[in-house]
Amino acid sequence: MFDLPDTYKVDVKVALKDFIPNDLKPNDKKRIKDAVKSVRLDYQIAGEEIPSVNNEEYRCQVIQFYDIEVVNIKDANFLASTYQNLIKPLCVIHMHDTKDEVYSMAVKRLSQTDDMQIVVEQTLLTDKYMLGIPDSNRDRFMAYMNYSTVKNKIDKVQLYKEWFYKAYMVVNEKAYIHTDKLLDGNTWYDLDRTARICQKYVELVTSRGRLKAAVTNAEKIKLNKEIKTEIYQLTELGGVQDD
């Protein structure tokens, strides 16, 4: 997955009974049993070659990569939502049936009221990619997820966040005409700037979604002004130059 080095490969089969917490609602347990065929923990980035993060916001000592074979990919959204909230470490969940695959990611932090609990701040479920046939969208996604192309490996949190936001940009790239320049740029080395760019990108995607749902002309005019401002701010932050 993501062409990770073999040193991170664990390839551990997870028994389904161990993958379903006892405190889940009976209906959710049944849905998981009906939906999931097998679970594997394929990779785990551990050790201190890439430093862990232990502070008031994060307790990140590993990044996990799960492979879940499902009966039907239509259950991916439910499974992603369920397990990104249950699995405390930052993780990537690859789900697939016989025809399609998706990837789930989530940015998480420690709860401010109980440091034994996590808070999921942002989630992403990719588009479906077809298995067994050439898929240019999948190829583009995987090119940016390739471990060797990730620029910021200062610690595990920043590594994961670069994966998350690059995935988010690839999935939502039509929101901004210069997405490729952000993806290929060197701002990823600048933590503060990267955070501001990614926040602004999310705001732009959200505004475009609200515009599609807008009914009145007044709403559309207001949102178009907001989008124009957000595009300008994103371009300035990213240092993007028109060709």
Side-chain angles (χ1 to χ4, degrees), residues 53-60 108-112 121 161:
V53 179
N54 288 286
N55 55 34
E56 293 181 355
E57 193 171 7
Y58 299 103
R59 189 169 295 139
C60 181
K108 311 170 188 180
R109 61 169 174 81
L110 293 175
S111 169
Q112 293 181 340
E121 293 187 312
K161 282 187 173 182

Side-chain angles (χ1 to χ4, degrees), residues 5-24:
D6 287 342
T7 52
Y8 297 131
K9 192 173 182 66
V10 292
D11 196 22
V12 174
K13 184 175 182 179
V14 181
L16 190 55
K17 63 182 179 61
D18 297 328
F19 201 62
I20 303 176
N22 290 327
D23 56 355
L24 279 182

Side-chain angles (χ1 to χ4, degrees), residues 177-186 188 238 240-243:
I177 193 171
H178 297 306
T179 294
D180 59 333
K181 293 182 179 179
L182 294 180
L183 286 165
D184 296 328
N186 290 320
W188 301 98
V240 173
Q241 299 293 327
D242 287 324
D243 295 329

Side-chain angles (χ1 to χ4, degrees), residues 9-49:
K9 192 173 182 66
V10 292
D11 196 22
V12 174
K13 184 175 182 179
V14 181
L16 190 55
K17 63 182 179 61
D18 297 328
F19 201 62
I20 303 176
N22 290 327
D23 56 355
L24 279 182
K25 295 178 180 178
N27 286 346
D28 289 340
K29 288 183 180 180
K30 183 179 185 306
R31 187 171 178 183
I32 292 171
K33 288 179 181 177
D34 291 343
V36 175
K37 296 175 72 173
S38 67
V39 181
R40 301 193 75 86
L41 176 61
D42 278 351
Y43 291 85
Q44 183 165 275
I45 297 178
E48 294 305 311
E49 181 180 355

Side-chain angles (χ1 to χ4, degrees), residues 86-100:
L86 289 172
I87 299 170
K88 291 185 178 181
L90 297 172
C91 66
V92 178
I93 304 175
H94 173 227
M95 289 170 281
H96 57 95
D97 59 14
T98 57
K99 296 180 180 178
D100 301 295

Side-chain angles (χ1 to χ4, degrees), residues 28-181:
D28 289 340
K29 288 183 180 180
K30 183 179 185 306
R31 187 171 178 183
I32 292 171
K33 288 179 181 177
D34 291 343
V36 175
K37 296 175 72 173
S38 67
V39 181
R40 301 193 75 86
L41 176 61
D42 278 351
Y43 291 85
Q44 183 165 275
I45 297 178
E48 294 305 311
E49 181 180 355
I50 299 173
S52 299
V53 179
N54 288 286
N55 55 34
E56 293 181 355
E57 193 171 7
Y58 299 103
R59 189 169 295 139
C60 181
Q61 296 177 308
V62 297
I63 301 174
Q64 297 181 326
F65 297 79
Y66 288 91
D67 181 277
I68 301 180
E69 184 180 3
V70 296
V71 176
N72 194 310
I73 203 69
K74 68 180 182 180
D75 290 308
N77 191 54
F78 162 72
L79 293 170
S81 176
T82 299
Y83 281 102
Q84 288 292 2
N85 280 280
L86 289 172
I87 299 170
K88 291 185 178 181
L90 297 172
C91 66
V92 178
I93 304 175
H94 173 227
M95 289 170 281
H96 57 95
D97 59 14
T98 57
K99 296 180 180 178
D100 301 295
E101 65 177 347
V102 296
Y103 291 82
S104 164
M105 304 178 75
V107 176
K108 311 170 188 180
R109 61 169 174 81
L110 293 175
S111 169
Q112 293 181 340
T113 57
D114 181 357
D115 63 7
M116 297 302 292
Q117 300 298 320
I118 59 165
V119 174
V120 176
E121 293 187 312
Q122 293 174 288
T123 62
L124 174 69
L125 188 67
T126 67
D127 298 328
K128 288 192 299 185
Y129 303 120
M130 298 182 69
L131 295 171
I133 64 172
D135 187 330
S136 59
N137 290 329
R138 181 187 185 278
D139 291 345
R140 178 168 170 76
F141 172 77
M142 294 306 295
Y144 286 108
M145 297 299 100
N146 190 298
Y147 180 82
S148 65
T149 67
V150 177
K151 296 179 178 180
N152 193 337
K153 298 185 177 81
I154 191 171
D155 60 49
K156 292 183 178 72
V157 171
Q158 295 306 320
L159 166 61
Y160 187 88
K161 282 187 173 182
E162 182 170 333
W163 266 322
F164 180 93
Y165 284 113
K166 282 185 173 178
Y168 186 91
M169 289 181 182
V170 169
V171 170
N172 296 285
E173 64 181 328
K174 291 182 180 179
Y176 180 57
I177 193 171
H178 297 306
T179 294
D180 59 333
K181 293 182 179 179

